[in-house]
Structure formats: structure tokens, C-alpha cells
């Protein structure tokens, strides 16, 4: 039964070892499979990024072309046109200049995306493929090393040798015990029969046999110890190799596969970002210039410029001169009778002037209020969407769209009413002041 | 000759007046013409701006559509794809999210340009047209007033009356002098002839005549003074009307024409700017997020995540266990003879380990340097255009393009050489450490 138990244990430990080795092989194969799938994922990512950037580049180039065409169209038109309204022209000019610069920057982005970046990603794809192939080779080599260390060649043979010598050892031990038992029996018999030559001879042969057995057993034990030591050292080496492979080599292997991948993506994205930031900067500068031009819109300034430009038509042309007869004075003559008439007329004019001035002041106030209302109305005429809410985000219910339209029509009607009033009052002002 | 001179002067002053009035009429007509041309310029400007914004809106909408399509295409793809390389996926995800937001903002700009802004400009065009018509009416009315004040009806008639009465006055004066001369002659004769009834009679009739003449002359002088005063007052009124028209009314007239024009342009541009600034803000935020995702690219992190994700394939599976026979110790047994052998082996291993460690350290240094060179090479492989110079701006001569290509090929070859070296050294490292 002891021999049976040993055999079972031996078989058990071999079976455990073999099952472990089977698992290990399966795991190593899985690892290579995962590396293979990883390289596919990476190449897909690179190809997606490349396609994305190429398409984005095309979109940017198309956008740039469209903006350029737009700018060209209006630049030619503006050059031919009579320059009126300096401040309005300035807004136009900045708008066109800014659009031209935008077009240029977007074209540069398009070019970068379509050429430099996709080229870089193509190289990166090649690199990834080649590095994967090489890494896989190295990986398989590493796995072979690991298997060599852990496989039967060393460990199993050490285990088997250990088991063999252990068995030998047990056999030798058994034989020694048998020899000792024999000797004891002979010693007992010889004590019964009394000492004799034959007994002495047999005894010495048993002793000899016993020593031989002891020597064999010691040798076997030594061999067994060595085998056990070898087995233990091999086990330690295998475990060390496993540790090294799993805790270091696998990471290194993946790092080799990934070599430069993140860096390439980073460089590509940084280049893309740099191009985008350039656009951002250009557009911000342009918008600020446009903002400043819009803030400088100046109705009075433009009116004065117009008056200066058409000086001949708008300057006060002359004074009506007094052509007196010789000896006539320029002053009014106010002799007795005439003086009375003049004084009466002066008083009439004064009271009329006072009335008109009062009326004019009233009208002036009304005019100012009307003008303010009119301008308010003009600027609110598009139902004034708040600039902080993009119009696409304010989803009106389909039926609700009619309400603002009505209000808008009403506003427009209001505006024209106010306008009519403004002009009527303004004309009254003109004619009142025109009379004398 | 005196009468001739007077006539000439009178004719001269009338001619000057008439020429002035002719100039004035021409100038007033020019003014209306200029106002007409101004409204054309303004309407052209509004129509140009409207067309520009509509086209820009179309460009923005098209751009937004293209970006949206691009995002959709890759969003679907990415969702299906195996999630590998968390940090790389994060960059992808931010890139797509940002592009989607950009698309939305550009769509909003396109919508604003095509609808709200062009609508506003249409109203502005209507307003400009109507205001011009009304202003022109008011202008013509003002000009009529001016002409009424300055025209013959008042000034010329005053001048003519003045001249007439002045002539009458002179005639009356002449007659009076004649009468006085007559009286003097009669007085002289009667003194010669001595006093008589007839002489007394004639003398009293002459006196009577003289008084009559004097009265006529005084009346004529009074009329003349009144006419002169009227003439002077009319002149002053005309000049005042001219001043008022040229220095105030013309400005007011142009202001009425321009009413709300600058304000409308300003509102439209501010709305456009607000939409553009929103894009700017969104893009800046997006670029910052993308930048942060790119900065967070992490090869080691992704490797560790991969190891965790495929835990079953990469974790250390087991230790090889020691299966001792009953009573065997786990420790190495180092009895006398075995101990010597073990010690020898240990010493051999130690010296081997020292040599390998030294070698490994050397290799490790070489590896690090090689890796750095390799990564440098990988990232320089696209001849590294400086991110501050848009590639479209660096115009190479057509023949000069071959030089960078050659260098590029050389670089790529270099890279692969370095790579081969890196892998060879790395493998040596693996196998060296793998041996025991």
C-alpha cells in the first residue's frame, strides 16, 4: 500500500505539473493572439485618424476656397464702387480682409492635414506593423526560453531523478533493514546453539552484507539528496523565470509593440492643434479689428465727410450784397415816422419769435423722443434674437412661429407710423423756422 | 452821364443777383442729385453686405454639414470598435466631440447669416429707400422755402421799389431845385423891376410850387427810405435763410436720409460678431480639452490597462510547487560532501551573475540611448515642419523638393537600422537574463 500511495502521489504531482504546463502554453498562445489583435486595433486607429484628418483637410480646403472666392468677388466689386460712408467702408474693408486671412489659415490647415499629418500617420502605420512583427518574434523567443526553463528537459527530469533516487533509497533502506533483521536472527540462533565456527563465519558474512547495504544506502541517499537539491533549484529557477517573464518581460514586450505609437499620435495631434491655434489667433485678431471698426461706425463723421467731398454742392455759396445808391448808408434809417413803423414791426417780430421759439423747443423735445422710438423700432424690427442664444437652439413649436411674425408686422407698421410723425413734425419745424 | 451810371449800376446789381440765383438753383439741384446717388450707394452697400452674409451663411452651413457628416461617420465606427488604449481613445473622443460642437456653432452662424441678418438688411434697404423718398420731399420743400425767401417776389421787388423810389426821389429833388432856381430868377427880376402886384402874385405861386415840390420830395424820400429798409431787411432775411439752410438744414436733411442706416449696419455686424465669438469660445474650449487629452497620452497607463483588461492572459498563473516525499524537508540539504559541491556551484553562479549584471547595465545604457535616438528619429521622420510656419507659406522651388525627400528616405533607413539594433540588443538582454 505504501508503494501504491507513493506511485499515486508521484503520478499526482506529475499530472499537476503537466496540467500547469498545458495552461501555461495556452496562456502564452493567448498573449500572442492579444498582441496580434492589438496591432490590428492600433492600425485601425491610425487609419481612422489618418482618414479623419484627410477628410477634415478636404473640408478645410473647400471652406478656404469658398471663403477666398467670396472675398475675391466682393473685393473687385468694392474697388470699383464709389467710396461713400468712410466708416461703413472701413467695416466692409475689415470684413473682407479678415475673411481673406481666415481663408489663408484654413487653407494652411487643410494642407497640413492632407499632407504632413497623413504622411506622418502612414509612417506610423508602417512602424507599428514592423515593430509588431519584430516584437512578436522577440516574444515568441522569450516564451521559448521560458518553456525551455520550465519544461520536462530540466524540471521533469529533475523530478523523475529525484523520485527514482528516492525509490532507490527506499529500496536500499529496505535491503539494509532486511540484512539487519537477518543478522539479528542469526545472532539469536547462534546464542541458542552456542558459539561455533560456522556461526562466526555466517555472522561475519552478514556483517559484511550489512556494511555493503549501508554503503549502498548512503550512496543512494547522497544521490537522492543531490537529485532533490537539483529538483528544488530547478523549481526555484522555473519560478524565477515565470516571475521575470510575467512581471517584467510581458510589459517590455508590449512596450516594444507600442514603441513610438503614442509619441506619433501626440506629434500629429500637436501639429494639428498648432495649426488650429493659428487659425484661432488670426480669427480673434480679425474679430477684434472688425469689432473696433463697428464701434467706429459714425453717422455724423460720414455726413461731414460727404459734405467735404461734395464741397462745391454743399458750401454756402455767397452772401446777398447790399447795393446802395451813392451816399446811401448801409444802416437802417429810422427817422421819426419810419422809426415808429420799424419799432412796431420789431415788436411784432419779437413776439412772433418768442412764440416760435417756444413751439420749436416743444417740437424739438417731441422730435428727440420720436427719433429714439424710431431707432429702437428699427433695430428691434427682426424681433431681436438675443445674441447669447444661437437661433438654431431655440426650437419653437410649429404653430408658435406665427406669433413673432405678427408682432414683427405690427412693429414694422408702428415704425412707419412713427416715421411719418417724425417727418411731419420735422417739416413743421423747418417751415416754422423758415418763416419770418 | 449820372443817369447812365445809375442805370448801369442798377443793371449790374440785378445781373449779379440773377447770376447768384442761377448758381443757387444749380447747387440745389446738385444737392438732390447727390442725395439720389447716395441712396444708390447705400442700397448697393446693404445689398452687398446682405449677399456677402448670405453667401457666408451658405459656406458656414456647408462647412457645418461636412463636419457633422465627418463626425457621424467616425462616431459610429468608434462605437463598434474594441476600446483599446484608453488615452488614445480619449483623444479620439475629444476630437469627435469638439468637431461636433464646432459643426453645431457653424450651423448656427450659417442660420443667423442666412435668415436673421439678411432679413434685417432687407428691412434696412426698405427703410433706406422710404426714408430717402421722404427726405427728398422734405429737401425739395426746404429748397422751395429758401427760393421763396430769396427770389424776386421779395428781394427783387424790394430792390426795384428801392431803385424806383430812389429815382423818384432824385427827380423830386431835381424838380425842387428847378423850382428854387426859378424863384431866385423871379426874385432877381422883381428886384430889378421894383415891387408890383403881378410880381407878388407870381412870387407866391412860385413859393407854393416850391413847397409842393418840397412836400413831394419829402414823401418820395420817406418812401425811398422805407423801400431801402425793406430791401435791407429782405437781404438780411435771405442771408439768414441761406445760412440756416446751408449750415443746418442740409446736415439735418442728410441725417434724415441716413436715419438708422449706421445703426442697422452696426446691429447686423454685432449680431454676426456675437455668433463668431461664440464659435471662437467653443473652439477655444474644445482645443484646450483636446490639448489636455493629448498631454494625457500615456503609453504605460494604456499598457497597464491592457494587462488588466486581459487579466486571464497576462497574470502570473501559478508557482511550481515542491512535491516532497514524506519526511523530506523543503530546504536544500547541504551535508558535508553535497555542501562542497553546492558551494562551488554557488560561487560559479555568483561570478556569472556579477558578469551578467555588469553586461546588463552596459546594455541597459546602450538601450536607453538607442531608444531615445529611435524615438527622435520616428518623430523627425516627416522632416519636422516647424509648427510656427504654415506649410503653405514655405514655397520651395520646384527642384528643391528632392533634397528633403532624400533626407527623409535616409532618416527612415536610419530609423530602421536603429530599430534593428535596439531589438537585437533587447533580445540579447532577454536571453542573458533568461540563462542561469
Amino acid at each position: 500500500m505504501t508503494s501504491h500511495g507513493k506511485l499515486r502521489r508521484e503520478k499526482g504531482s506529475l499530472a499537476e505539473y503537466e496540467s500547469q504546463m498545458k495552461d501555461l502554453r495556452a496562456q502564452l498562445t493567448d498573449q500572442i493572439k492579444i498582441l496580434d489583435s492589438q496591432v490590428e486595433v492600433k492600425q485601425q486607429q491610425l487609419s481612422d485618424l489618418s482618414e479623419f484628418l484627410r477628410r477634415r483637410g478636404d473640408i478645410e480646403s473647400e471652406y478656404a476656397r469658398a471663403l477666398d472666392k467670396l472675398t475675391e468677388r466682393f473685393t473687385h466689386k468694392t474697388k470699383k464702387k464709389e467710396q461713400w460712408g468712410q466708416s461703413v467702408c472701413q467695416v466692409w474693408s475689415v470684413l473682407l480682409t479678415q475673411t481673406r486671412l481666415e481663408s489663408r489659415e484654413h487653407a494652411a490647415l487643410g494642407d497640413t492635414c492632407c499632407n504632413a499629418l497623413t504622411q506622418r500617420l502612414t509612417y506610423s502605420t508602417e512602424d507599428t506593423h514592423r515593430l509588431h512583427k519584430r516584437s512578436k518574434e522577440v516574444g515568441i523567443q522569450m516564451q521559448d526560453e521560458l518553456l525551455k526553463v520550465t519544461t520536462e528537459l530540466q524540471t521533469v527530469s529533475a523530478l523523475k531523478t529525484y523520485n527514482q533516487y528516492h525509490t532507490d533509497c527506499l529500496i536500499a533502506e529496505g535491503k539494509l533493514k532486511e540484512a539487519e533483521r537477518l543478522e539479528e536472527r542469526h545472532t539469536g540462533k547462534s546464542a541458542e546453539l552456542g558459539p561455533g565456527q560456522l556461526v562466526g563465519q555466517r555472522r561475519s558474512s552478514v556483517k559484511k552484507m550489512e556494511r555493503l547495504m549501508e554503503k549502498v544506502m548512503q550512496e543512494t541517499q547522497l544521490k537522492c539528496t543531490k537529485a532533490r537539491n537539483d529538483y528544488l533549484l530547478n523549481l526555484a529557477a522555473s519560478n524565477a523565470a515565470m516571475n521575470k517573464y510575467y512581471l517584467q518581460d510581458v510589459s517590455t514586450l508590449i512596450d516594444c509593440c507600442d514603441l513610438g505609437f503614442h509619441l506619433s499620435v501626440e506629434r500629429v495631434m500637436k501639429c494639428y492643434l498648432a495649426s488650429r491655434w493659428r487659425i484661432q489667433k488670426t480669427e480673434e485678431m480679425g474679430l477684434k479689428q472688425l469689432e473696433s471698426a463697428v464701434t467706429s461706425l459714425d453717422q455724423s463723421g460720414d455726413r461731414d465727410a460727404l459734405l467735404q467731398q461734395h464741397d462745391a454742392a454743399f458750401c454756402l455759396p455767397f452772401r446777398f450784397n447790399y447795393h446802395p445808391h451813392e451816399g446811401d448808408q448801409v444802416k437802417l434809417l429810422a427817422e421819426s415816422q419810419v422809426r415808429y413803423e420799424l419799432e412796431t414791426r420789431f415788436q411784432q417780430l419779437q413776439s412772433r419769435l418768442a412764440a416760435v421759439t417756444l413751439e420749436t423747443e416743444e417740437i424739438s423735445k417731441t422730435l428727440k423722443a420720436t427719433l429714439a422710438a424710431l431707432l429702437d423700432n428699427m433695430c428691434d424690427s427682426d424681433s431681436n434674437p438675443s445674441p447669447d442664444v444661437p437661433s438654431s437652439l431655440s426650437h419653437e413649436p410649429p404653430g408658435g412661429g406665427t406669433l413673432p411674425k405678427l408682432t414683427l408686422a405690427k412693429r414694422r407698421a408702428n415704425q412707419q407710423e412713427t416715421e411719418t410723425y417724425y417727418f411731419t413734425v420735422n417739416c413743421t419745424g423747418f417751415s416754422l423756422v423758415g418763416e419770418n
Side-chain angles (χ1 to χ4, degrees), chain A residues 122-180:
Chain A
T122 306
Y123 288 148
S124 188
T125 306
E126 287 171 20
D127 292 345
T128 302
H129 182 72
R130 203 179 50 253
L131 284 169
H132 170 70
K133 218 173 132 237
R134 290 191 167 175
S135 301
K136 195 175 162 184
E137 283 166 16
V138 171
I140 288 172
Q141 198 178 327
M142 290 197 303
Q143 293 189 346
D144 286 347
E145 300 272 352
L146 179 65
L147 288 174
K148 210 169 83 189
V149 174
T150 53
T151 220
E152 291 114 299
L153 292 171
Q154 299 188 19
T155 313
V156 170
S157 74
L159 175 59
K160 280 185 177 162
T161 311
Y162 166 57
N163 284 339
Q164 183 57 48
Y165 285 135
H166 196 262
T167 311
D168 289 355
C169 204
L170 288 179
I171 291 167
E173 221 173 56
K175 279 185 179 162
L176 181 63
K177 274 188 183 151
E178 182 68 26
E180 277 171 356

Side-chain angles (χ1 to χ4, degrees), chain A residues 318-324:
Chain A
F318 50 78
R319 284 185 63 76
F320 289 105
N321 291 317
Y322 175 51
H323 295 281

Side-chain angles (χ1 to χ4, degrees), chain A residues 263-291:
Chain A
L263 203 63
S264 287
V265 172
E266 188 185 326
R267 292 293 300 245
V268 164
M269 291 315 295
K270 280 198 170 161
C271 190
Y272 171 76
L273 277 166
S275 200
R276 290 293 308 270
W277 278 121
R278 261 199 316 276
I279 297 184
Q280 207 67 7
K281 226 168 76 183
T282 305
E283 290 189 347
E284 194 177 319
M285 268 173 53
L287 289 179
K288 276 185 184 159
Q289 278 174 14
L290 189 57
E291 217 157 41

Side-chain angles (χ1 to χ4, degrees), chain A residues 183 186-187 190 197-209:
Chain A
E183 196 204 348
H186 283 286
T187 314
S190 65
Q197 201 190 17
L198 193 72
V199 173
Q201 257 182 357
R202 281 189 80 178
R203 210 176 167 179
S204 85
S205 91
V206 166
K207 276 264 177 202
K208 227 168 149 183
M209 173 83 173

Side-chain angles (χ1 to χ4, degrees), chain A residues 113-376:
Chain A
C113 283
C114 284
N115 299 317
L117 297 188
T118 45
Q119 178 65 70
R120 215 190 270 238
L121 286 170
T122 306
Y123 288 148
S124 188
T125 306
E126 287 171 20
D127 292 345
T128 302
H129 182 72
R130 203 179 50 253
L131 284 169
H132 170 70
K133 218 173 132 237
R134 290 191 167 175
S135 301
K136 195 175 162 184
E137 283 166 16
V138 171
I140 288 172
Q141 198 178 327
M142 290 197 303
Q143 293 189 346
D144 286 347
E145 300 272 352
L146 179 65
L147 288 174
K148 210 169 83 189
V149 174
T150 53
T151 220
E152 291 114 299
L153 292 171
Q154 299 188 19
T155 313
V156 170
S157 74
L159 175 59
K160 280 185 177 162
T161 311
Y162 166 57
N163 284 339
Q164 183 57 48
Y165 285 135
H166 196 262
T167 311
D168 289 355
C169 204
L170 288 179
I171 291 167
E173 221 173 56
K175 279 185 179 162
L176 181 63
K177 274 188 183 151
E178 182 68 26
E180 277 171 356
R181 209 156 43 79
L182 270 176
E183 196 204 348
E184 262 168 38
R185 203 158 53 194
H186 283 286
T187 314
K189 267 191 184 160
S190 65
E192 242 172 58
L193 300 173
Q197 201 190 17
L198 193 72
V199 173
Q201 257 182 357
R202 281 189 80 178
R203 210 176 167 179
S204 85
S205 91
V206 166
K207 276 264 177 202
K208 227 168 149 183
M209 173 83 173
E210 202 184 310
R211 265 201 301 280
L212 186 73
M213 286 298 129
E214 226 174 66
K215 203 181 162 197
V216 165
M217 201 200 79
Q218 274 171 1
E219 274 172 10
T220 313
Q221 267 183 341
L222 185 63
K223 275 186 189 163
C224 181
T225 300
K226 278 186 184 170
R228 210 178 58 93
N229 282 351
D230 270 354
Y231 171 45
L232 278 171
L233 284 173
N234 265 313
L235 268 184
S238 293
N239 281 324
M242 288 289 281
N243 277 340
K244 183 176 168 296
Y245 177 80
Y246 275 91
L247 304 183
Q248 290 177 32
D249 294 353
V250 161
S251 290
T252 310
L253 188 62
I254 296 176
D255 285 351
C256 279
C257 272
D258 290 348
L259 195 71
F261 177 75
H262 288 72
L263 203 63
S264 287
V265 172
E266 188 185 326
R267 292 293 300 245
V268 164
M269 291 315 295
K270 280 198 170 161
C271 190
Y272 171 76
L273 277 166
S275 200
R276 290 293 308 270
W277 278 121
R278 261 199 316 276
I279 297 184
Q280 207 67 7
K281 226 168 76 183
T282 305
E283 290 189 347
E284 194 177 319
M285 268 173 53
L287 289 179
K288 276 185 184 159
Q289 278 174 14
L290 189 57
E291 217 157 41
S292 131
V294 168
T295 310
S296 305
L297 275 174
D298 177 11
Q299 187 178 340
S300 312
D302 285 353
R303 182 236 298 140
D304 292 346
L306 178 73
L307 291 177
Q308 273 195 354
Q309 195 186 337
H310 297 281
D311 194 36
F314 288 115
C315 77
L316 182 64
F318 50 78
R319 284 185 63 76
F320 289 105
N321 291 317
Y322 175 51
H323 295 281
H325 292 269
E326 257 176 309
D328 251 10
Q329 291 174 319
V330 177
K331 286 205 301 183
L332 284 180
L333 290 174
E335 288 139 5
S336 52
Q337 200 180 343
V338 180
R339 166 178 288 273
Y340 175 72
E341 272 181 34
L342 278 177
E343 273 173 5
T344 312
R345 194 169 164 192
F346 177 66
Q347 274 160 12
Q348 279 171 354
L349 278 175
Q350 252 190 340
S351 61
R352 173 108 182 88
L353 184 64
V356 168
T357 303
L358 206 70
E359 207 174 332
T360 306
E361 271 168 18
E362 285 305 309
I363 287 172
S364 190
K365 278 181 207 160
T366 315
L367 264 183
K368 268 187 193 162
T370 313
L371 181 62
L374 188 57
L375 291 179
D376 260 16

Side-chain angles (χ1 to χ4, degrees), chain A residues 4-174:
Chain A
H4 248 71
K6 270 173 212 160
L7 207 68
R8 211 186 296 142
R9 188 163 59 243
E10 190 178 318
K11 263 195 177 166
S13 67
L14 268 173
E16 181 189 316
Y17 168 78
E18 267 157 25
S19 128
Q20 281 183 334
M21 285 309 292
K22 202 179 143 194
D23 288 353
L24 178 61
R25 273 172 216 278
Q27 220 186 12
L28 294 181
T29 312
D30 278 356
Q31 288 172 4
I32 297 295
K33 273 187 199 156
I34 287 166
L35 288 186
D36 282 344
S37 78
Q38 276 325 104
V39 79
E40 272 168 36
V41 171
K42 273 190 285 182
Q43 287 196 327
Q44 189 60 49
Q45 282 179 335
L46 288 175
S47 129
D48 281 355
L49 188 56
S50 179
E51 195 190 336
F52 179 89
L53 289 176
R54 196 178 49 69
R55 281 173 189 272
R56 173 91 199 210
D58 287 345
I59 292 171
E60 294 295 329
S61 300
E62 184 53 43
Y63 184 59
R65 256 195 304 280
L67 288 183
D68 191 53
K69 224 171 112 190
L70 178 68
T71 319
E72 276 311 300
R73 177 192 191 87
F74 285 96
T75 306
H76 284 306
K77 232 178 170 176
T78 311
K79 268 180 193 158
K80 279 187 288 178
K81 210 163 57 181
E82 193 196 350
Q83 289 293 315
W84 174 80
Q86 293 182 312
S87 69
V88 180
C89 284
Q90 184 58 21
V91 169
W92 243 120
S93 159
V94 172
L95 188 62
L96 292 179
T97 308
Q98 188 220 1
T99 310
R100 195 176 302 115
L101 287 178
E102 276 173 47
S103 161
R104 230 176 262 171
E105 288 299 343
H106 281 280
L109 174 61
D111 186 59
T112 303
C113 283
C114 284
N115 299 317
L117 297 188
T118 45
Q119 178 65 70
R120 215 190 270 238
L121 286 170
T122 306
Y123 288 148
S124 188
T125 306
E126 287 171 20
D127 292 345
T128 302
H129 182 72
R130 203 179 50 253
L131 284 169
H132 170 70
K133 218 173 132 237
R134 290 191 167 175
S135 301
K136 195 175 162 184
E137 283 166 16
V138 171
I140 288 172
Q141 198 178 327
M142 290 197 303
Q143 293 189 346
D144 286 347
E145 300 272 352
L146 179 65
L147 288 174
K148 210 169 83 189
V149 174
T150 53
T151 220
E152 291 114 299
L153 292 171
Q154 299 188 19
T155 313
V156 170
S157 74
L159 175 59
K160 280 185 177 162
T161 311
Y162 166 57
N163 284 339
Q164 183 57 48
Y165 285 135
H166 196 262
T167 311
D168 289 355
C169 204
L170 288 179
I171 291 167
E173 221 173 56

